[in-house]
Amino acid sequence: MLEPGATIGILGGGQLARMLAMAGARLGLKSHIYSPTANEPAFDVCAGQTIAAYEDESALSHFAERVDVVTYEFENVPAATADFLAARKPVRPNPKVLALTQDRLAEKQFVQSLGIETAEFADVADAGALARAVARLGRPSILKTRRFGYDGKGQALLQGGADLATTFRALGGVPCILEGFVPFAKEISVVAARSVDGAFRAYDICENAHEHHILATTTVPASLRPETAAQAAQIARKIAEAADYVGVLAVEMFLVKEKAGDEEKLVVNEIAPRVHNSGHWTIDAALTSQFEQHMRAVAGWPLGDARRIGTAIMRNLIGEEAKRWREILEEDGACLHLYGKAEIRAGRKMGHVTYVVPDR
Ligand code: AMP
């Protein structure tokens, strides 16, 4: 268990690292940010910084000497970087989790091995394998690169006419998986945390709406049956325990309504081994935010109370939407968060606003 005043090393300097550092500071924990690029959002709010490539072993050694534990704000940290650091300081969540979540094929196999449902999938190593996979899974189906996909990048919907070889080439000709199309009623996520000694706490279920493949809004609580909500949290727990996870994770799921009756079924889409955009509402509408929860967990501290204190709607401010900041400041119930990014770009997450209606 670290003492207040200890330093948490964070790989990545984006808004997630920024909000982690801010939450840590409230508890007297310092953050040292490691990022290959300068001018990142987290640099405004951290105690120490290293700007160096993830492959720079001398910079990594210095970083390891200056921090007490290492964590990360994104899952595409190179495996070699995580292993190098893990030989010097505790890395939480453990690097094995990175290997699982960086590869959609390994991730789906892991989830299925726990008896949890995913979309049907097939390993697609080349265009020939794609033709066989489509013959089995049918259309529509979704071709996704195994690695480095996010916000809808690295994936293609295969409809009736699409030419398979062309689609495979358009994704770069890299190893892919084909997923059967899940006819979901809604998308939800479970944001949860597990501590060093195995305690587990989940936030209430988040209901997520995407626009142009980027998360647009999260509404909490999600509207779903209480049994389904309990099952969703149970799924996240099973995954966290099987991965010997420490920290906050998010499990994205599809909610499928069975045609007959009002049965609901959950299908796991993706695991994010980090704090997650759909958990941003917890800063303003939960007793402990996901960022504080993660810092507590990686410091070896007890988890905080994850109860919600009101109904929350989080809206991302993407690109030009951030220009509405002045107007939002005057709105009732609006909690504004801006990430300090100098340049507005289309599709760039500039900030978010959470509207909270406190419970009576
Ligand atoms: P992902 O990058 O896997 O999170 O996918 C991005 C978005 O594409 C998801 O949020 C869904 O809206 C959609 N999607 C991904 N996989 C499937 C699937 N197997 N069936 C239906 N929709 C999907």
Side-chain angles (χ1 to χ4, degrees):
M1 187 184 282
L2 301 184
E3 297 286 323
T7 301
I8 315 279
I10 303 176
L11 301 174
Q15 64 266 16
L16 300 179
R18 176 184 174 97
M19 291 184 272
L20 284 169
M22 288 162 74
R26 202 179 82 162
L27 294 171
L29 293 168
K30 296 185 194 305
S31 293
H32 185 122
I33 305 294
Y34 190 110
S35 165
T37 43
N39 288 325
E40 291 294 329
F43 288 149
D44 290 347
V45 297
C46 62
Q49 47 180 269
T50 302
I51 300 170
Y54 289 124
E55 294 75 24
D56 183 339
E57 294 196 347
S58 129
L60 288 170
S61 298
H62 277 100
F63 171 71
E65 279 163 24
R66 283 167 179 71
V67 305
D68 298 294
V69 62
V70 176
T71 188
Y72 40 88
E73 63 141 19
F74 75 124
E75 54 272 47
N76 287 322
V77 172
T81 305
D83 291 339
F84 184 90
L85 291 169
R88 289 157 178 81
K89 286 288 154 71
V91 174
R92 295 176 179 151
N94 69 69
K96 283 196 305 261
V97 171
L98 278 176
L100 267 183
T101 54
Q102 282 173 356
D103 178 354
R104 290 185 190 272
L105 181 64
E107 181 178 80
K108 286 221 157 43
Q109 287 166 339
F110 167 70
V111 171
Q112 282 201 346
S113 76
L114 302 176
I116 298 166
E117 185 162 347
T118 67
E120 282 194 281
F121 63 91
D123 182 2
V124 173
D126 51 41
L130 178 57
R132 290 190 295 278
V134 172
R136 180 159 74 81
L137 300 183
R139 304 189 195 210
S141 47
I142 304 186
L143 185 65
K144 300 182 180 178
T145 58
R146 279 174 59 176
R147 298 168 67 84
F148 303 120
Y150 70 100
D151 287 347
K153 292 184 177 66
Q155 55 180 275
L157 179 65
L158 290 176
Q159 305 265 36
D163 178 67
L164 299 183
T166 310
T167 310
F168 186 71
R169 266 201 311 276
L171 286 185
V174 295
C176 286
I177 65 169
L178 185 73
E179 289 184 18
F181 189 84
V182 179
F184 59 84
K186 57 180 70 174
E187 295 186 73
I188 63 165
S189 56
V190 182
V191 179
R194 189 165 176 273
S195 68
V196 166
D197 52 16
F200 176 87
R201 289 215 176 133
Y203 291 98
D204 282 346
I205 312 300
C206 315
E207 183 165 332
N208 303 321
H210 297 85
E211 290 167 13
H212 313 295
H213 292 288
I214 300 176
L215 182 67
T217 64
T218 295
T219 305
V220 197
S223 105
L224 73 183
R225 304 175 68 168
E227 312 86 88
T228 314
Q231 194 199 341
Q234 216 32 58
I235 287 173
R237 180 174 202 142
K238 210 170 191 182
I239 289 172
E241 286 175 354
D244 196 17
Y245 198 90
V246 173
V248 166
L249 81 167
V251 183
E252 296 181 52
M253 305 178 194
F254 300 123
L255 180 88
V256 181
K257 301 248 192 210
E258 308 280 25
K259 282 205 182 65
D262 54 355
E263 290 290 291
E264 293 178 343
K265 169 176 101 164
L266 294 170
V267 175
V268 167
N269 179 34
E270 209 170 25
I271 304 167
R274 54 174 168 81
V275 287
H276 193 255
N277 197 166
S278 67
H280 288 2
W281 63 272
T282 59
I283 300 175
D284 302 298
L287 289 174
T288 308
S289 77
Q290 63 165 346
F291 301 100
E292 175 176 340
Q293 202 71 301
H294 187 75
M295 295 302 256
R296 283 175 176 245
V298 301
W301 292 4
L303 299 179
D305 190 331
R307 272 178 297 175
R308 194 168 47 79
I309 57 172
T311 300
I313 300 179
M314 187 285 310
R315 172 164 264 289
N316 271 335
L317 299 172
I318 313 262
E320 299 281 327
E321 285 165 10
K323 290 191 172 161
R324 289 184 46 234
W325 63 272
R326 210 183 283 272
E327 194 184 312
I328 294 168
L329 285 173
E330 304 212 49
E331 290 173 342
D332 283 341
C335 307
L336 178 66
H337 301 257
L338 296 173
Y339 305 150
K341 298 182 184 178
E343 193 196 336
I344 292 185
R345 274 187 256 129
R348 192 174 200 204
K349 291 175 180 171
M350 304 298 297
H352 71 268
V353 53
T354 303
Y355 297 91
V356 185
V357 181
D359 287 339
R360 299 211 168 253

